[in-house]
Amino acid sequence: MEVATIQRFQCSSWIDLRTFEGKPRGSLRYSLRFKEDKRLRVVSLALDNRRDHRLRSVSDNNSSVLETGSLLHSPSDEEQILKRKAEEVKPYLNGQSIYLVGMMGSGKTTVGKIMARALGYTLFDSDTLIEQAMNGTSVAEIFEHFGESVFREKETEALKKISLTYHQVVVSTGGGAVIRPINWKYMHKGISIWLDVPLEVLAHRIAAVGTDSRPLLHDDESEDIYTAALNRLSKIWDGRGEAYNNANARVSLENIALKLGYKSVSDLTPTEVAIEAFEQVQSYLDNKDGIARPDGL
């Protein structure tokens, strides 16, 4: 996202005060998780059965065609699993905010909106907050008229304000937020999640919508838009790729696609990515607390 090209989720107010839920401990924590896992398994089993039969031949005008995941896709199944996973994770978040990091076009705003809705959190888009602080000046215009350094300062100010003022929010950050160590100081007041998307997939996404709103991709216009985007993304990755490893959790879209039996990362839905994000958050919290799941849970 340097400027999100998808529809943004606008916040009506900065303030979102809610009563924090207490963190279950000891046997109560395991009991709650056991009940949630048991309910989740019932829903997951139905979805897994559908996925096991995802690749099958169907007859269509005497021709055999391969039925793809999208033909068997059930949004209601996904929504149930998403809801259960959010309910399972939320008590252990204990009001902590979530920061989504990743390269431009990785879907941080889209996935963030889904996660925020499932948790009952508020979504903040850092680029939108920067634009508001600059009296409506777009990110592309900020880069053009004031330079990247001014944008990065405003980005740090936005992350600082969020981290010190608000709880129970999901924050969709800019792709370059990871390059300043001070930003990690603020993001680590919550839980940071890296949406790891292959560069080729990002280039295809960006080529489909254009680069007008992405100032860092305004480079070589002599190449076709996909090749130009891929080359520029590769250069950007070389400069910041390692920084994403500072995130508390990593959500690899390639791993999700492999796990679900998809041929391509592009077949994944944002909800499936959000479900995996919750699973990775749960894993991180378990490891952080030094608590292992009992056998069978």
Side-chain angles (χ1 to χ4, degrees):
M1 108 178 189
E2 250 61 10
V3 178
T5 56
I6 56 176
Q7 181 179 2
R8 296 183 185 276
F9 178 81
Q10 298 291 347
C11 303
S12 59
S13 172
W14 274 87
I15 300 177
D16 178 38
L17 301 178
R18 294 182 175 89
T19 302
F20 290 175
E21 300 184 47
K23 186 174 182 180
R25 300 185 180 183
S27 60
L28 175 59
R29 175 168 181 165
Y30 288 135
S31 176
L32 289 174
R33 184 175 296 172
F34 176 78
K35 292 178 181 178
E36 290 299 326
D37 281 352
K38 185 176 180 180
R39 288 190 296 172
L40 184 61
R41 282 196 203 99
V42 175
V43 180
S44 297
L45 181 60
L47 184 55
D48 287 342
N49 287 337
R50 296 170 69 89
R51 286 170 178 152
D52 288 342
H53 295 86
R54 187 177 301 280
L55 299 179
R56 59 185 175 86
S57 294
V58 295
S59 177
D60 182 13
N61 297 328
N62 297 322
S63 298
S64 180
V65 298
L66 189 64
E67 184 166 348
T68 64
S70 60
L71 295 178
L72 289 177
H73 175 65
S74 173
S76 62
D77 286 341
E78 281 187 359
E79 285 299 320
Q80 265 194 300
I81 294 176
L82 175 72
K83 180 181 178 181
R84 299 302 185 198
K85 183 57 65 175
E87 289 175 350
E88 182 183 49
V89 171
K90 187 174 180 178
Y92 311 125
L93 283 172
N94 203 25
Q96 291 182 88
S97 296
I98 292 175
Y99 294 81
L100 297 178
V101 301
M103 291 282 284
M104 62 183 77
S106 59
K108 298 183 293 292
T109 301
T110 303
V111 174
K113 182 176 181 179
I114 294 170
M115 295 181 72
R117 172 175 54 81
L119 289 170
Y121 277 23
T122 295
L123 177 72
F124 285 160
D125 183 313
S126 64
D127 280 356
T128 298
L129 298 177
I130 294 167
E131 291 173 343
Q132 291 172 352
M134 296 289 287
N135 298 317
T137 305
S138 71
V139 172
E141 291 172 331
I142 295 172
F143 269 76
E144 180 181 357
H145 299 297
F146 302 98
E148 183 176 357
S149 61
V150 171
F151 175 82
R152 296 301 173 198
E153 286 294 333
K154 294 296 182 181
E155 185 173 56
T156 297
E157 290 175 10
L159 292 174
K160 179 180 180 180
K161 183 173 184 179
I162 293 170
S163 69
L164 297 179
T165 312
Y166 305 102
H167 301 280
Q168 295 186 326
V169 298
V170 175
V171 184
S172 172
T173 69
V178 298
I179 62 179
R180 302 187 84 183
I182 187 64
N183 292 346
W184 284 109
K185 173 184 175 182
Y186 299 132
M187 290 191 288
H188 280 160
K189 292 183 180 297
I191 297 174
S192 53
I193 305 172
W194 169 25
L195 300 187
D196 184 7
V197 184
L199 295 183
E200 295 80 7
V201 175
L202 295 178
H204 276 298
R205 290 179 180 179
I206 291 169
V209 297
T211 62
D212 290 344
S213 61
R214 302 185 183 278
L216 291 181
L217 294 184
H218 296 170
D219 195 9
D220 189 351
E221 298 182 357
S222 63
E223 300 175 297
D224 67 272
I225 189 169
Y226 167 77
T227 302
L230 181 58
N231 290 338
R232 185 61 183 140
L233 285 169
S234 297
K235 294 178 182 178
I236 293 172
W237 173 260
D238 289 341
R240 69 174 67 151
E242 286 297 319
Y244 291 115
N245 287 315
N246 289 315
N248 299 128
R250 170 176 172 258
V251 174
S252 167
L253 269 67
E254 286 185 320
N255 289 346
I256 306 173
L258 181 63
K259 181 168 66 174
L260 299 183
Y262 290 123
K263 285 188 173 181
S264 170
V265 166
S266 300
D267 293 330
L268 291 170
T269 67
T271 300
E272 287 169 327
V273 177
I275 291 170
E276 178 69 16
F278 282 135
E279 291 179 353
Q280 294 303 321
V281 167
Q282 184 69 71
S283 177
Y284 164 72
L285 291 173
D286 283 348
N287 292 332
K288 179 182 177 183
D289 293 343
I291 297 176
R293 290 175 182 261
D295 292 340
L297 291 187

